[in-house]
Amino acid sequence: MAIFGKNKKESSAPSQLPADEGLILPVHVGIIMDGNGRWAKKRGLPRKAGHREGAKTFRTITRYCSEIGIKYLTVYAFSTENWKRPEDEVGALMGLFKSYLKEAIEDFKDDDIIVRFIGDKSGFSPELQELMAENEESSAHRDGMVLNIAMNYGSRDEIVRAVKNISADVKLGKISVEDIGEQLVSDYLYTAGQPDPDLIIRPSGEYRISNFMLWQSAYTEFVIMNKLWPDFQKSDLDEAVRIYSQRNRRYGGV
Ligand code: FPP
């Protein structure tokens, strides 16, 4: 099944963001792509149909973020907890990731998008791991937006992994306990070298962080939107950016 190419979802409303609106554009946007299951249920469809639509929205919104000048986009595609879902739903998601990753290698080329995966890749099948590596390698030389796809990602798991790696490096004498500070911890996370997210968007009206970028989101602005992810359009991204732009970020100051 082609998710990209002939199945492209081009029906989203065009951007309403005028270039000269003087908006403060977030550098790094995170999106918790939530509501696929409810979208399907409302239509009497199996949950996997919601994920298929969610994948189309993902493609549209990713390209749009790159178009408007977002530098980093992190999407939450599969959490360390999502393995608890029924076997057929997990299977459908794995199938979707596989067909998508095959086509993404070509598809994101036009947009110059650098593809990265954050999360524990070893949890996936060898075929999927190979596709992830191929995506990363073939896009590494590009200089466009960095797209982090969080798969088998859990922020607590990420922090535990960082603590273990820091401890191992202390033991090996590569670093000393005195070197450990906020910057060093950030450098041991999957997102090392990237700025923290400025804006995290959660569609579907849920007010939860769901184990997503806990360390990185210390001063992130959250925007919750009452749209299910498959219904999310470019104009919703515009709205989230406008809301973000009006926020007064104080980082604990006055
Ligand atoms: C959460 O909605 C969504 C997921 C667990 C899967 C997200 C995956 C995609 C959008 C597929 C596309 C991703 C890539 C990288 C191709 P939910 O199922 O929990 O929705 P619900 O809360 O309504 O049940």
Side-chain angles (χ1 to χ4, degrees):
M1 180 199 58
I3 296 163
F4 291 176
K6 61 180 184 297
N7 275 359
K8 280 178 187 176
K9 183 174 179 173
E10 300 295 4
S11 58
S12 292
S15 168
Q16 301 296 312
L17 273 186
D20 60 354
E21 204 178 300
L23 290 175
I24 301 162
L25 206 59
V27 173
H28 187 166
V29 174
I31 304 182
I32 301 176
M33 303 186 290
D34 194 22
N36 296 346
R38 276 163 286 168
W39 183 93
K41 194 172 173 201
K42 263 172 58 181
R43 289 162 178 78
L45 297 169
R47 292 177 59 83
K48 61 185 174 194
H51 295 313
R52 241 185 345 254
E53 280 306 302
K56 292 181 197 168
T57 302
F58 156 74
R59 176 183 180 278
T60 305
I61 296 300
T62 294
R63 299 186 90 167
Y64 182 57
C65 283
S66 153
E67 231 172 80
I68 65 170
I70 302 295
K71 301 285 182 224
Y72 297 84
L73 172 67
T74 302
V75 293
Y76 205 5
F78 195 83
S79 78
T80 44
E81 289 73 36
N82 285 154
W83 298 106
K84 289 189 279 197
R85 294 188 173 207
E87 219 177 294
D88 66 327
E89 182 174 344
V90 172
L93 276 166
M94 295 304 133
L96 202 54
F97 293 146
K98 209 158 47 184
S99 38
Y100 156 73
L101 291 183
K102 278 186 189 148
E103 299 194 19
I105 294 173
E106 280 305 307
D107 199 81
F108 285 144
K109 204 154 74 180
D110 299 342
D111 302 272
D112 225 17
I113 293 171
I114 301 160
V115 182
R116 305 274 317 272
F117 294 90
I118 63 171
D120 181 3
K121 292 177 193 148
S122 70
F124 294 107
S125 68
E127 192 189 354
L128 212 39
Q129 287 185 49
E130 210 169 295
L131 280 168
M132 289 165 131
E134 257 182 77
N135 267 279
E136 290 190 324
E137 281 158 25
S138 64
S139 68
H141 67 281
R142 298 180 193 153
D143 63 0
M145 182 181 81
V146 173
L147 166 68
N148 297 314
I149 305 179
M151 279 172 56
N152 197 19
Y153 174 87
S155 196
R156 286 185 169 186
D157 184 64
E158 176 183 37
I159 292 167
V160 168
R161 176 183 168 273
V163 170
K164 282 185 179 163
N165 288 337
I166 290 170
S167 310
D169 283 351
V170 169
K171 216 165 145 188
L172 288 169
K174 286 190 187 168
I175 52 169
S176 69
V177 171
E178 289 68 38
D179 292 330
I180 302 172
E182 292 188 10
Q183 185 57 53
L184 184 127
V185 173
S186 294
D187 292 343
Y188 276 75
L189 300 178
Y190 291 121
T191 48
Q194 301 186 9
D196 288 338
D198 302 291
L199 165 66
I200 289 181
I201 303 168
R202 183 162 192 156
S204 93
E206 302 281 7
Y207 288 72
R208 270 194 300 279
I209 184 76
S210 300
N211 205 7
F212 184 59
M213 303 189 98
L214 301 179
W215 174 275
Q216 298 91 330
S217 65
Y219 284 102
T220 298
E221 297 296 325
F222 281 87
V223 173
I224 312 290
M225 305 193 80
N226 273 321
K227 270 267 180 96
L228 302 174
W229 177 245
D231 291 329
F232 196 90
Q233 302 202 338
K234 293 175 185 178
S235 53
D236 298 308
L237 198 284
D238 291 349
E239 191 187 332
V241 168
R242 279 206 184 89
I243 294 169
Y244 165 81
S245 190
Q246 285 158 10
R247 296 267 174 91
N248 177 14
R249 302 183 78 186
R250 293 187 297 279
Y251 301 93
V254 286

